[in-house]
Amino acid sequence: MTTLKESLIQTTCAYCGVGCGVDVALAGNQPTQLEGMPEHPANYGRLCVKGTHLLDTISNENRLSAPEINNKQVSWSEASDYVASEFSKIIAEHGPDAVAFYVSGQLLTEDYYIANKFMKGYIGSANIDTNSRLCMSSAVAGYKRAFGEDVVPCDYEDLEHTELLILIGSNAAWTHPVLYQRIARAKRMNPTMKVVVIDPRRTDSAELADRFLQLKPGTDAALYNGLLRYLADNQLLDDDFIAKHTDDFATALAATQSWTIDEVASYCELSRHEVSQFYSEFATSASAISFYSMGINQSSSGVDKCNAIINAHLASGKLLKTGSGPFSITGQPNAMGGREVGGLANQLAAHLDIENEQHQSLVKRFWQSPTIATQAGAKALDMFDAIRAGKIKAVWIMATNPMVSLPNTDAIAEALKACELVVVSDCVASNDTLDYAHVKLPSTGWGEKEGTVTNSERRISRQRAIIAPFAGAKNDWQILCDVAKKMGFSGFDFTQPSEIFDEWARLTSFENNGSRQLNLSALAGMSSREYNALRPIQWPCIKGDNYQHGQVFSQNQFSTTNKKARFIAITPQLPKQVTSSEYPLVMNSGRIRDQWHTMTRTGKSATLSTHITRPYIELHPKDASRLGINNDDLVRAQSKVGEVIANAKITDSLRAGECFMPIHWNQQFASSANVGKLYSSIADPISGQPETKFTAIKLQPVEFSQYMDVFVNKQSNCQADLTAQSDYWLKVNASNCSQYQLAFNDVIADALYWCQQSSGIKGQWSGFYEGATQRIQCIANGRLVFVAMVTNEQVTTSIEWINHLFSQSALNFAQLQSLLTATPDEEFSQGRQICSCFKVREKPIVDAIKAGTHRVDELGLQLQCGTNCGSCKTELSQLIKRHAVIAQGQQIDVLVTV
Amino acid sequence: MNHKQRVVVVGNGMVGHHFVEQITSLINPSSDAEVTVLSGEERLAYDRVHLSEFFAGKTADDLALTNEQIYADWQVRFYTNAKVTHINREKQQVTTSEGAIFDYDKLVLATGSFPFVPPIPGKDREHCLVYRTIADLNAIKHSASSSKVGVVIGGGLLGLEAANALKQLGLETHVVEFAPQLMGVQVDGGGGRLLKDKISALGVQVHTSMATEEIVDGDSCRYKMCFKGGETLETDLILFSAGIRPYDNLAREFDLAVGERGGIVINDHCQTSDQNIYAIGECALWSNFIFGLVAPGYAMAKIAAKHILSSHSDCAFTGADMSTKLKLMGVEVGSIGDAHGRTQDARSYVFDDQLSGVYKKIVTDPAGTRLIGAVLVGDTSDYDNLLQYHLNDLALSVAPESLIFPLAPTADTISIADLPAEAMICSCHQVTKHTIEQAVLAGAIDLVGVQTVTKACTGCGSCKSRVNCIIEHCVTEHSLAVTQAEPKRLSDSALIPVTELA
């Protein structure tokens, strides 16, 4: 046996905006192991559970191998010819604004740069927008209004040096777990550090909180307006900073006049004490960070909320100092890169303004392009409206799944159906959007791509290929350049990403002269070898000895024309989608710990699919009892524009009258669990970011006549047959099998026959029937290949148990009997999986807690839970709180040791 | 009674004949009773169960269950072509179509049944036939000689027998069934599907869920069958096998009680509403049920015979087990008890091997401790074992699924020694283990001997292996020598006490 050559490749995680470095060990050309990169300043070796299981998601399952035109395979040359000629034809007939690109925070900076250059400098339209519109465009607009440039004025290290960390509209414990762990560690090292969590939901992030403010949804701007007034009323302003470095303070303060503590308390539905305590802590802390994310941004007044936050930091001088600042955290690996190159319809490139003639000229001259976009293009929602209205006739969607991620799914479907030409480049062969594509282009996925990404603290890191591209897949920048060249454009003769990066770095410094913080001049002129070896680096990175990389707004000089930051007068607005007697409940949405976006990647990992196996709708016990809904019941949520079905999860972590549903499940995984369907197309007027944290719904229990839990082996290809015949379905992936939870309005009397027909599997079938209960199995060549558990009420079968049986090379009689009687082995009746890394389940953890282990770290010593990525520590802490038997006189707060 | 009791039997089918056999074995023919048989057919009783063998080369004589000599030996008076048309209940007389009058003290109606022909327009065309009697078989043979395609309407047990007959006659054969499955009485949906696959593989085209609406002139064949939904099928010959109807016209005409949907109502002693008239077999309605199998008819025959000879006899008909095991065109099919699992809260265990073409299902009571039904298609080797559990209400000593799943470590078969003495071995002739053992001890030490003495295994034949086991067990246990005296016919009352052996 020859020993494979071992090597190590450093790259960047595919998921959230933290941008963790990962080390991938290879044997030969096969990735064998993945770990956090010890020296990466984002994570210093840590990884969350999603990052830990990145290699699980590298699979050739559901990959497109060659381009397709109208579902027929074609060569790359035919495909790019076709796209080029169709785009040219439509542009010639209807003008440049009749075409659009809808791109993604999944693209690398180099891809993004080419797409933007192509659209704005050559096609001559600004109809390029990104799915980042959905997560942080309000933050961009907020920074731009205040600082004159989209610059995040904080670093991750600030989190470790702050005295007061305010998590507002962020469930970092689940969405940015590595940062959350850095915060938790900082808090242990600095006992005076305080954490305040502000959220309508008591999320896992609240586990760490000294104070939890469960405010009314959408009232954040009022809370910060009140803070500004409080600072002024109590002479706690940084008068010097305000005078020297800001404008418009007086008007902003005037707008806060009505926001007394009493008014804020009543508006936000908090107690007076909660509000005043928060204000006083903010005022008296030496440093403070407002850490915010989608809870702030995804609002019809998200930009104002951002500026209300920034106002308070400007007024108190709590920014551009260690441990202080308004810190927006992005959700995608390269949302920041997109913002930088200009991948939004209302930006030009490199933080230059689209409607500024000088800027237009600058970029046009730099590119030597035939034209330049001179006015903002269509933002995401407007873009799909324009498609539906026939104004945009061709759209090229890259690396994103708008059929799931955009609100009002039915309207998006209508738009795509109406569109003359839908081109989709993606690394998957099927998703809800690809169903509408006329042209499908296989692009490379994470692990195959070379380029750079920028994380939430402006740190540029290399993403490196660890495996060869799948079959005929090409990099997005290559696909774009090919089409651009075929449309007759020069300026796209790139042969490798380093050349693109070099041009991009030169653009950032072109005629910059300190007017823009975004300056990568120190990175221009790198050889491809230097580019390949690039270490993670924060911008600005300006050539010359006088500059410290990563330092922004030095000497408080902002990017506005007069170098002063601007206060913005804020009038708080409530959400636009309001409740009524018909739709009396509020629906909030968000991520869960182990899934990401629309599950196209994380859905492939069996491990990640076991923490939360199915979509759910959280509701308050009071609402549940009023509506007659029990835990795990299937419920239907309806808004004015759509409906979804998911299992009820009753929890008092919500406010009464409010519900929550995860965003992840799409139509590849569930018949009707895409929460986006419930949201109307209502967006912030400035940023165009949709309001997807708040809509009005009604809830009702749904009952079916028959329920069937079907498990099939991974080789079988019967999803369409199983799901087409059911009235409700949900898919869960495990390592050896896939589970389909099906429900039917009409009872299938001969379930055995139905299973045989729908699965197409031939083998030795067996079954047990007792009244409405039927348990059906199939064995082929000794292996279990099919299981169905049929009942007239919803019962969930342990997927780990069935998965274990699917792994057996020869199923024995006792195992078959256990299926007939639906009696899992002891080890599979241990409750929910809490720790995904070590597969530790709820029951042993609770047993240990009841036996007296009341600390998270002690649980880890005993059971290993929480000792790898740590993502489950908050849940462990919750379990301790719930199950610990407290001896008399013992303090409860000793339990919280995340 | 100063004269010999006159017993008149109307009908000489299998059950009528069995009655004769039973009553003559119980009486002293010269003294007790005088038996008269009136047969409407031209020949004496023959084996209808194996009727299809007629096409495999067997003759009417081969199928005969008796002959004139035997009846003469038993001192039974008999008349063929003697169709009874009149009963005078007051005078206790019956009259034949030819005007012959017979007095009776006890009248036994064993008129059997006739095939049901659904009221489809065109059903009376020349080559639309039924499958019931040897005369029908001759008509089929004749029609087939000028036909290429044949269709059987009805996919029940008899319909498939008939299809086999058509196939043996060299016709392209089709079975058209109204229900979604074949043999819906005996097997469940899963078994029916496999049966359909197997029958189809043997070259018989099976069309289920088909309602025939009309029979018209054909284009390429003699006739065209038109189905609901618009499909058609061309054929030269149509055989109706859509169930049976009891021959109860005598009862209707002469005011005996009949059921709402036909059948002569009888009590547990097989008496009709006139206590001097009995009805047995497929013309009889017991507990609102007509038994379409031979075994229950035999049981009725036995009970009626005993009751006629001694009205104080406490033997009573208590229903019959409808279990069957048969081979249809080489396809093994078994059905035991509640094959469909219709018993309240019953449990079912199914094994459906698509690869080897075997379907097995067992039905147990709600506790899973007693076997109450089974379906076997493709392999009936478990039949005997399962039937013993069912007939003798034996508690299952293992998990029910062990009985049919090949993965089970050891198949649980009941040893003959464990069977209780009263265990019913031959359902057709109601022969118990005890009776067989007594016969063996009396010298019937092989199958032929036991068949001769006890009649066991002379009906459907499905108990053959069990009977052999008992013989073998008994011979070994008692170290019986193989040379013994000629076995003699044994009646229940003539059992040799065990003590006499040694």
Side-chain angles (χ1 to χ4, degrees):
Chain A
M1 203 176 107
T2 54
T3 316
L4 292 168
K5 194 177 154 233
E6 287 179 16
S7 56
L8 186 75
I9 294 182
Q10 296 198 311
T11 183
T12 316
C13 177
Y15 297 115
C16 74
V18 177
C20 297
V22 293
D23 279 356
V24 181
L26 281 89
N29 49 15
Q30 272 307 306
T32 53
Q33 205 186 341
L34 181 145
E35 287 176 335
M37 192 196 297
E39 67 274 28
H40 197 291
N43 57 320
Y44 293 108
R46 295 179 188 84
L47 283 180
C48 75
V49 64
K50 288 187 285 283
T52 304
H53 294 95
L54 263 169
L55 292 183
D56 293 1
T57 68
I58 295 184
S59 100
N60 293 338
E61 194 188 319
N62 192 27
R63 288 292 297 265
L64 195 63
S65 57
E68 291 178 12
I69 299 176
N70 295 322
N71 296 318
K72 258 194 214 147
Q73 282 207 355
V74 295
S75 69
W76 267 112
S77 145
E78 285 170 281
S80 49
D81 276 348
Y82 183 79
V83 175
S85 72
E86 292 298 301
F87 264 71
S88 299
K89 208 160 70 188
I90 290 168
I91 293 164
E93 259 181 64
H94 305 283
D97 288 333
V99 299
F101 292 168
Y102 186 63
V103 300
S104 155
Q106 300 288 293
L107 293 179
L108 304 187
T109 300
E110 290 75 4
D111 303 316
Y112 242 135
Y113 176 83
I114 295 295
N116 188 54
K117 180 181 182 185
F118 187 3
M119 182 54 79
K120 289 179 183 150
Y122 291 78
I123 290 175
S125 167
N127 281 345
I128 172 170
D129 212 42
T130 160
N131 63 4
S132 302
R133 178 71 61 198
L134 314 178
C135 56
M136 36 94 285
S137 57
S138 293
V140 173
Y143 284 139
K144 210 149 177 296
R145 286 207 296 188
F147 305 148
E149 186 178 351
D150 171 24
V151 176
V152 180
C154 306
D155 306 335
Y156 296 161
E157 266 188 40
D158 288 318
L159 300 171
E160 282 146 358
H161 296 113
T162 190
E163 289 295 312
L164 174 65
L165 185 89
I166 305 155
L167 282 166
I168 180 163
S170 160
N171 180 14
W174 279 14
T175 59
H176 301 93
V178 166
L179 290 188
Y180 188 78
Q181 284 173 49
R182 286 179 70 163
I183 294 165
R185 184 164 172 270
K187 194 166 187 293
R188 286 167 73 188
M189 294 196 304
N190 175 9
T192 64
M193 176 182 172
K194 293 272 182 292
V195 174
V196 177
V197 172
I198 303 171
D199 201 308
R201 292 192 299 143
R202 181 185 281 275
T203 61
D204 272 33
S205 299
E207 283 307 297
L208 194 62
D210 297 286
R211 259 166 277 296
F212 170 59
L213 273 59
Q214 192 161 20
L215 85 179
K216 180 181 172 183
T219 62
D220 322 69
L223 185 66
Y224 270 80
N225 255 10
L227 175 56
L228 183 59
R229 176 177 163 159
Y230 174 90
L231 296 171
D233 286 355
N234 295 283
Q235 289 82 47
L236 296 161
L237 298 167
D238 186 338
D239 295 316
D240 186 51
F241 185 88
I242 294 170
K244 281 191 186 152
H245 303 298
T246 71
D247 278 337
D248 303 332
F249 175 69
T251 43
L253 183 63
T256 68
Q257 275 320 294
S258 61
W259 296 102
T260 61
I261 288 177
D262 286 330
E263 185 55 30
V264 169
S266 123
Y267 188 79
C268 300
E269 297 180 1
L270 295 168
S271 74
R272 195 180 183 284
H273 174 69
E274 286 175 310
V275 176
S276 62
Q277 193 181 34
F278 166 57
Y279 288 173
S280 126
E281 270 175 0
F282 184 91
T284 56
S285 284
S287 54
I289 289 173
S290 295
F291 182 108
Y292 58 98
S293 209
M294 305 316 142
I296 294 298
N297 300 340
Q298 291 177 332
S299 156
S300 53
S301 59
V303 183
D304 281 355
K305 286 178 181 168
C306 292
N307 285 110
I309 291 168
I310 297 168
N311 283 348
H313 284 270
L314 289 172
S316 56
K318 287 191 165 69
L319 79 169
L320 305 178
K321 291 176 187 162
T322 301
S324 282
F327 201 168
S328 151
I329 301 292
T330 62
Q332 295 198 80
N334 199 31
M336 293 289 278
R339 283 152 78 160
E340 292 156 11
V341 300
L344 288 159
N346 50 342
Q347 301 176 339
L348 187 52
H351 288 180
L352 291 156
D353 295 334
I354 198 158
E355 275 152 19
N356 178 322
E357 281 179 27
Q358 280 174 314
H359 288 181
Q360 293 162 8
S361 153
L362 182 156
V363 175
K364 188 166 183 276
R365 277 183 289 114
F366 178 80
W367 280 339
Q368 299 184 346
S369 63
T371 178
I372 195 79
T374 56
Q375 56 181 22
K379 295 172 196 152
L381 291 183
D382 303 337
M383 183 184 285
F384 284 88
D385 281 346
I387 294 171
R388 202 173 42 194
K391 286 182 200 148
I392 291 175
K393 297 177 185 304
V395 64
W396 187 344
I397 298 165
M398 297 169 213
T400 184
N401 193 2
M403 273 297 295
V404 184
S405 50
L406 284 176
N408 201 352
T409 311
D410 294 346
I412 305 302
E414 216 179 288
L416 290 175
K417 249 184 252 170
C419 190
E420 266 179 44
L421 177 65
V422 178
V423 180
V424 178
S425 26
D426 209 307
C427 62
V428 295
S430 66
N431 66 29
D432 300 12
T433 302
L434 274 157
D435 292 346
Y436 296 87
H438 302 109
V439 181
K440 298 177 190 171
L441 303 172
S443 53
T444 47
W446 183 88
E448 299 166 353
K449 294 168 84 115
E450 290 279 354
T452 56
V453 291
T454 308
N455 71 5
S456 293
E457 59 161 358
R458 309 177 316 282
R459 190 175 304 277
I460 296 167
S461 300
R462 282 280 280 110
Q463 228 181 59
R464 296 182 176 89
I466 54 174
I467 50 170
F470 171 72
K474 276 187 159 186
N475 297 313
D476 288 286
W477 64 266
Q478 284 175 306
I479 305 173
L480 284 158
C481 286
D482 287 349
V483 172
K485 282 190 275 188
K486 285 186 173 169
M487 285 173 73
F489 300 134
S490 59
F492 295 91
D493 290 319
F494 298 102
T495 59
Q496 45 190 336
S498 60
E499 296 164 6
I500 304 171
F501 186 84
D502 179 57
E503 181 178 305
W504 153 237
R506 285 190 290 109
L507 172 61
T508 61
S509 56
F510 188 63
E511 298 177 11
N512 186 318
N513 304 320
S515 60
R516 290 166 272 140
Q517 297 293 300
L518 174 58
N519 188 337
L520 312 180
S521 55
L523 303 178
M526 282 192 294
S527 66
S528 74
R529 173 181 271 193
E530 286 169 317
Y531 172 80
N532 286 340
L534 182 68
R535 313 294 307 162
I537 184 167
Q538 254 185 319
W539 63 257
C541 25
I542 304 167
K543 213 170 182 173
D545 299 335
N546 298 330
Y547 297 100
Q548 187 195 336
H549 290 332
Q551 193 186 352
V552 292
F553 302 135
S554 60
Q555 283 147 26
N556 302 325
Q557 298 297 295
F558 293 93
S559 297
T560 51
T561 40
N562 67 357
K563 304 289 174 195
K564 287 185 172 183
R566 280 185 297 254
F567 279 94
I568 307 291
I570 301 300
T571 307
Q573 309 274 336
L574 286 173
K576 296 277 188 286
Q577 301 173 68
V578 293
T579 56
S580 61
S581 56
E582 195 186 352
Y583 300 102
L585 298 168
V586 170
M587 178 59 92
N588 189 352
S589 71
R591 288 182 181 169
I592 60 169
R593 192 188 81 192
D594 290 4
Q595 294 293 349
W596 198 71
H597 277 196
T598 66
M599 290 170 66
T600 46
R601 183 180 292 127
T602 44
K604 288 181 179 175
S605 166
T607 309
L608 295 179
S609 297
T610 43
H611 176 239
I612 293 174
T613 56
R614 59 189 187 190
Y616 57 86
I617 294 172
E618 283 185 347
L619 73 162
H620 192 272
K622 276 185 191 164
D623 298 316
S625 72
R626 189 170 48 79
L627 294 166
I629 292 169
N630 298 309
N631 222 11
D632 295 331
D633 281 356
L634 278 174
V635 290
R636 176 181 284 118
Q638 285 171 286
S639 75
K640 279 182 188 168
V641 294
E643 65 168 62
V644 295
I645 296 176
N647 296 93
K649 190 168 168 187
I650 299 169
T651 167
D652 61 4
S653 67
L654 298 165
R655 290 156 44 97
E658 293 170 15
C659 303
F660 172 84
M661 186 170 177
I663 60 171
H664 310 287
W665 278 268
N666 58 48
Q667 282 172 28
Q668 315 298 314
F669 287 93
S671 52
S672 187
N674 172 9
V675 71
K677 286 183 168 187
L678 299 177
Y679 293 100
S680 297
S681 307
I682 291 172
D684 184 290
I686 301 164
S687 69
Q689 178 156 2
E691 183 170 80
T692 49
K693 289 284 185 196
F694 194 103
T695 189
I697 57 151
K698 58 181 170 189
L699 268 190
Q700 65 192 84
V702 207
E703 275 182 21
F704 293 97
S705 306
Q706 194 174 41
Y707 299 85
M708 201 186 284
D709 258 15
V710 170
F711 300 82
V712 291
N713 64 337
K714 298 290 255 187
Q715 288 75 44
S716 79
N717 186 25
C718 55
Q719 174 159 344
D721 290 316
L722 287 173
T723 58
Q725 299 176 68
S726 55
D727 299 298
Y728 163 87
W729 65 270
L730 171 71
K731 179 186 184 183
V732 183
N733 272 334
S735 54
N736 301 301
C737 64
S738 296
Q739 177 187 23
Y740 295 88
Q741 295 176 19
L742 312 175
F744 304 89
N745 289 327
D746 299 316
V747 170
I748 295 164
D750 195 342
L752 173 65
Y753 185 55
W754 190 90
C755 291
Q756 290 173 337
Q757 292 300 106
S758 308
S759 70
I761 294 173
K762 292 255 180 271
Q764 289 185 324
W765 291 79
S766 51
F768 168 75
Y769 313 148
E770 185 177 28
T773 299
Q774 302 183 53
R775 306 190 188 109
I776 293 163
Q777 307 81 33
C778 185
I779 295 172
N781 299 320
R783 288 193 94 100
L784 186 64
V785 291
F786 184 97
V787 172
M789 300 289 184
V790 188
T791 57
N792 57 359
E793 56 186 11
Q794 218 196 333
V795 185
T796 311
T797 316
S798 157
I799 188 170
E800 290 86 0
W801 168 49
I802 304 288
N803 189 54
H804 169 73
L805 296 179
F806 267 87
S807 74
Q808 305 295 298
S809 58
L811 199 75
N812 65 38
F813 188 58
Q815 289 167 327
L816 181 62
Q817 284 183 303
S818 73
L819 285 167
L820 290 169
T821 53
T823 316
D825 294 354
E826 176 69 10
E827 65 170 304
F828 297 106
S829 40
Q830 303 284 299
R832 215 161 49 88
Q833 180 169 298
I834 303 293
C835 170
S836 300
C837 297
F838 291 110
K839 300 192 169 33
V840 187
R841 313 192 71 87
E842 189 167 359
K843 193 168 174 286
I845 295 171
V846 171
D847 289 348
I849 294 168
K850 286 184 175 162
T853 307
H854 292 178
R855 288 175 59 95
V856 171
D857 52 357
E858 284 175 6
L859 283 175
L861 283 174
Q862 277 183 34
L863 302 167
Q864 281 190 295
C865 50
T867 56
N868 182 40
C869 77
S871 299
C872 63
K873 284 179 168 182
T874 52
E875 284 191 83
L876 294 173
S877 165
Q878 285 171 356
L879 287 173
I880 293 169
K881 280 186 188 166
R882 201 176 315 144
H883 298 287
V885 183
I886 309 292
Q888 274 214 316
Q890 203 177 341
Q891 293 287 318
I892 188 133
D893 59 4
V894 303
L895 308 173
V896 191
T897 53
V898 171
Chain B
M1 219 177 285
N2 52 13
H3 62 86
K4 282 204 271 180
Q5 185 162 222
R6 291 161 302 180
V7 178
V8 174
V9 185
V10 181
N12 194 230
M14 295 177 79
V15 172
H17 169 67
H18 193 73
F19 173 82
V20 172
E21 204 171 31
Q22 289 297 316
I23 197 161
T24 54
S25 74
L26 293 173
I27 57 173
N28 181 345
S30 52
S31 57
D32 298 339
E34 166 189 288
V35 179
T36 305
V37 171
L38 303 174
S39 170
E41 284 191 59
E42 61 189 2
R43 57 172 64 80
L44 286 176
Y46 53 88
D47 184 355
R48 273 193 239 279
V49 170
H50 298 98
L51 203 58
S52 61
E53 291 173 17
F54 188 68
F55 294 110
K58 287 213 173 171
T59 63
D61 284 347
D62 293 335
L63 292 174
L65 292 173
T66 183
N67 57 41
E68 296 167 6
Q69 187 57 51
I70 292 173
Y71 271 16
D73 289 351
W74 291 353
Q75 300 183 22
V76 171
R77 291 203 292 162
F78 61 92
Y79 303 88
T80 52
N81 294 317
K83 189 176 164 75
V84 172
T85 56
H86 202 92
I87 304 174
N88 187 330
R89 289 167 52 191
E90 253 172 54
K91 288 189 181 167
Q92 299 190 195
Q93 287 178 336
V94 293
T95 311
T96 67
S97 54
E98 309 217 310
I101 294 173
F102 298 87
D103 292 324
Y104 70 81
D105 295 308
K106 300 290 178 193
L107 180 66
V108 178
L109 300 177
T111 45
S113 63
F114 61 93
F116 169 65
V117 177
I120 300 166
K123 71 181 168 62
D124 296 323
R125 288 171 178 253
E126 190 189 347
H127 294 268
C128 292
L129 306 169
V130 294
Y131 180 87
R132 175 74 185 175
T133 63
I134 285 181
D136 295 335
L137 298 199
N138 282 324
I140 293 166
K141 234 177 189 171
H142 178 72
S143 169
S145 63
S146 62
S147 300
K148 285 199 208 72
V149 183
V151 170
V152 177
I153 296 185
L157 196 159
L158 273 176
L160 295 179
E161 293 266 9
N164 193 29
L166 293 188
K167 195 171 155 268
Q168 282 172 341
L169 289 169
L171 301 193
E172 173 193 320
T173 307
H174 298 258
V175 171
V176 171
E177 168 60 48
F178 177 75
Q181 69 161 91
L182 296 176
M183 281 183 75
V185 174
Q186 292 85 4
V187 305
D188 63 346
R193 276 192 301 278
L194 178 60
L195 184 61
K196 180 180 174 178
D197 290 349
K198 286 183 174 273
I199 300 278
S200 304
L202 290 167
V204 172
Q205 296 177 50
V206 180
H207 313 266
T208 47
S209 299
M210 287 291 221
T212 312
E213 289 193 320
E214 202 181 357
I215 298 160
V216 298
D217 287 340
D219 300 322
S220 56
C221 292
R222 209 173 269 143
Y223 305 135
K224 180 158 78 180
M225 300 171 67
C226 305
F227 302 110
K228 192 174 174 187
E231 286 182 69
T232 60
L233 179 62
E234 297 248 338
T235 182
D236 299 308
L237 160 63
I238 296 173
L239 267 190
F240 285 100
S241 180
I244 54 162
R245 292 292 181 269
Y247 243 130
D248 57 7
N249 49 343
L250 283 175
R252 287 174 192 278
E253 279 177 50
F254 303 101
D255 291 332
L256 297 174
V258 292
E260 212 169 285
R261 285 184 299 168
I264 308 165
V265 175
I266 58 166
N267 64 15
D268 289 355
H269 304 300
C270 301
Q271 286 167 299
T272 67
S273 53
D274 179 335
Q275 60 165 352
N276 290 323
I277 304 180
Y278 292 74
I280 56 175
E282 292 175 348
C283 66
L285 183 74
W286 178 83
S287 190
N288 216 20
F289 195 86
I290 288 173
F291 293 87
L293 288 180
V294 71
Y298 282 3
M300 290 179 192
K302 191 170 186 174
I303 283 151
K306 283 189 180 175
H307 198 259
I308 285 167
L309 294 178
S310 161
S311 57
H312 304 300
S313 161
D314 56 359
C315 68
F317 184 72
T318 52
D321 181 63
M322 299 293 281
S323 302
T324 39
K325 180 174 92 169
L326 59 145
K327 231 179 198 177
L328 287 164
M329 302 181 221
V331 182
E332 295 182 5
V333 178
S335 170
I336 293 173
D338 179 11
H340 293 273
R342 291 188 179 123
T343 306
Q344 178 77 29
D345 299 326
R347 294 179 177 183
S348 300
Y349 299 82
V350 173
F351 174 71
D352 184 7
D353 188 345
Q354 295 171 310
L355 307 175
S356 62
V358 172
Y359 180 87
K360 301 178 184 183
K361 179 172 92 170
I362 53 173
V363 182
T364 71
D365 63 346
T369 54
R370 293 280 194 285
L371 189 134
I372 59 173
V375 174
L376 302 167
V377 177
D379 173 10
T380 51
S381 55
D382 294 326
Y383 181 86
D384 290 349
N385 193 40
L386 299 178
L387 186 67
Q388 285 310 313
Y389 275 114
H390 171 55
L391 289 181
N392 300 304
D393 200 28
L394 301 178
L396 301 176
S397 54
V398 290
E401 60 270 24
S402 316
L403 296 175
I404 52 166
F405 285 16
L407 258 188
T410 47
D412 184 68
T413 49
I414 310 164
S415 106
I416 283 295
D418 293 342
L419 279 181
E422 67 277 14
M424 190 59 67
I425 305 299
C426 171
S427 327
C428 294
H429 291 277
Q430 300 280 295
V431 186
T432 63
K433 176 188 172 193
H434 178 71
T435 308
I436 294 168
E437 281 177 338
Q438 292 308 311
V440 176
L441 293 176
I445 52 162
D446 59 10
L447 183 65
V448 178
V450 170
Q451 281 175 321
T452 314
V453 177
T454 66
K455 302 295 281 180
C457 203
T458 59
C460 70
S462 67
C463 59
K464 188 170 164 185
S465 62
R466 263 167 292 150
V467 172
N468 272 326
C469 271
I470 294 170
I471 296 169
E472 197 179 312
H473 178 252
C474 199
V475 165
T476 317
E477 183 99 320
H478 296 280
S479 313
L480 296 180
V482 185
T483 48
Q484 287 276 341
E486 183 76 6
K488 60 179 186 182
R489 192 156 167 236
L490 202 79
S491 72
D492 284 3
S493 54
L495 288 173
I496 301 158
V498 181
T499 46
E500 284 184 13
L501 286 160

